[in-house]
Amino acid sequence: MEKKAWQKKGLGHRQRLRDRFLERGLGGFSDAEIVELLLSFGTPRSDCKDPARKALTAFGCLSAVLEEPLSSLRKIDGIGPKNAFAIHFIQAVARRYLRDRLQGKRYLHSSSEVSDYLLHSMRGLKKEVFTVIYLDSSHAIIDTETVAEGTINVNTVYPRELVKGALQKNAAAMIVAHNHPSGSLQPSSQDMKLTRTLCLLGRLMQIQVLDHIIIGDGSFSFADKGLMTDISTRCQQTMETLQQEE
């Protein structure tokens, strides 16, 4: 097939994909078709079908492709700097969009949006990341912030710094979250210790810790599982003991 005819055929295929999306949305698309369209934004005249399939074979799934660094994407035959940039740019835009949707939302009425944001921004990461969502007295979200990367425990995430950040933002409450790169949703002993320490310090400074969310192959909420209630009860008992000793 001549080059011009091949390019025309490819353009027709991608236009059909675009038309299908406009008519029916993303629901009927395979991961390969989504990656193909994303790659075509960087090189609109190139055939991106094979590179899309190769990327999915190499990295496993759509979310993994979106999270791969530029250097890894460019190792795939057919993906160059423009394709890789398109993937990363769209990922960053989606992350900004989800974060901005949280601003001014009541957490108790938008927990699904909080989960969407956390899953999108943290699932599939190769290293642990600790994020804090600050809320005002009516539980409207003020801001989100990544405060630590790497090994997450009570020795690397300083509860006093989290409380200090909350005070600086005039926050009355916070939600904390971190990811498990392994995909496990089981809280570790360090996760429990960090949450207890943060809750106790927050109580001393009149800042409520509403939840600790773990992101892996899905999400795990300390609040939904009743762990925050147990931790809060223990913190209250500790506070009463301290007051009796004064």
Side-chain angles (χ1 to χ4, degrees):
M1 184 181 295
E2 293 183 358
K3 183 177 180 180
K4 288 185 178 179
W6 172 78
Q7 287 181 335
K8 184 177 180 180
K9 181 180 179 181
L11 289 173
H13 167 67
R14 286 190 290 277
Q15 187 59 52
R16 286 191 294 274
L17 289 179
R18 296 188 186 101
D19 291 342
R20 202 170 91 204
F21 169 74
L22 292 174
E23 291 176 6
R24 308 175 193 172
L26 203 59
F29 276 67
S30 67
D31 284 357
E33 289 172 329
I34 294 171
V35 175
E36 179 186 352
L37 271 182
L38 293 179
L39 291 174
S40 72
F41 294 155
T43 51
R45 292 185 177 275
S46 299
D47 184 356
C48 298
K49 187 180 296 184
D50 285 342
R53 290 173 178 170
K54 290 176 182 177
L56 286 167
T57 298
F59 305 125
C61 63
L62 174 62
S63 61
V65 172
L66 293 175
E67 293 291 350
E68 283 296 322
L70 290 171
S71 58
S72 296
L73 289 173
R74 293 185 61 181
K75 291 179 181 178
I76 302 298
D77 185 32
I79 297 182
K82 292 180 180 179
N83 304 108
F85 170 80
I87 292 284
H88 267 249
F89 183 72
I90 289 168
Q91 161 75 339
V93 169
R95 187 172 297 177
R96 173 77 68 85
Y97 165 71
L98 289 170
R99 187 195 69 189
D100 289 352
R101 282 183 66 193
L102 295 180
Q103 306 303 318
K105 300 271 188 167
R106 285 179 60 89
Y107 170 67
L108 295 178
H109 293 163
S110 60
S111 58
S112 62
E113 290 173 343
V114 174
S115 296
D116 286 346
Y117 168 71
L118 292 172
L119 282 166
H120 184 80
S121 63
M122 303 175 77
R123 183 171 58 186
L125 295 179
K126 300 296 190 295
K127 58 185 176 182
E128 286 190 77
V129 172
F130 194 93
T131 297
V132 183
I133 301 175
Y134 299 101
L135 306 101
D136 65 17
S137 58
S138 64
H139 293 173
I141 296 168
I142 298 171
D143 196 11
T144 63
E145 182 179 16
T146 296
V147 297
E149 297 183 4
T151 302
I152 304 300
N153 56 49
V154 74
N155 297 316
T156 56
V157 176
Y158 301 104
R160 66 177 181 273
E161 293 299 322
L162 301 184
V163 173
K164 179 180 178 181
L167 292 172
Q168 290 173 340
K169 296 177 184 294
N170 295 317
M174 66 174 76
I175 302 160
V176 298
H178 78 283
N179 65 308
H180 284 172
S182 66
S184 170
L185 294 177
Q186 183 65 34
S188 67
S189 59
Q190 289 289 337
D191 295 338
M192 298 295 295
K193 182 178 180 181
L194 175 59
T195 308
R196 287 194 297 267
T197 302
L198 180 59
C199 284
L200 180 59
L201 185 56
R203 186 176 288 269
L204 289 168
M205 302 302 295
Q206 297 183 328
I207 295 173
Q208 186 181 9
V209 180
L210 295 178
D211 203 355
H212 185 167
I213 299 172
I214 297 173
I215 301 297
D217 293 332
S219 62
F220 178 96
S221 164
F222 277 52
D224 289 348
K225 299 299 183 180
L227 295 177
M228 294 306 299
T229 300
D230 293 340
I231 290 172
S232 179
T233 299
R234 291 188 182 185
C235 287
Q236 182 61 35
Q237 292 171 346
T238 301
M239 291 286 292
E240 292 173 355
T241 301
L242 291 174
Q243 292 171 354
Q244 290 172 2
E245 293 176 353
E246 291 182 353

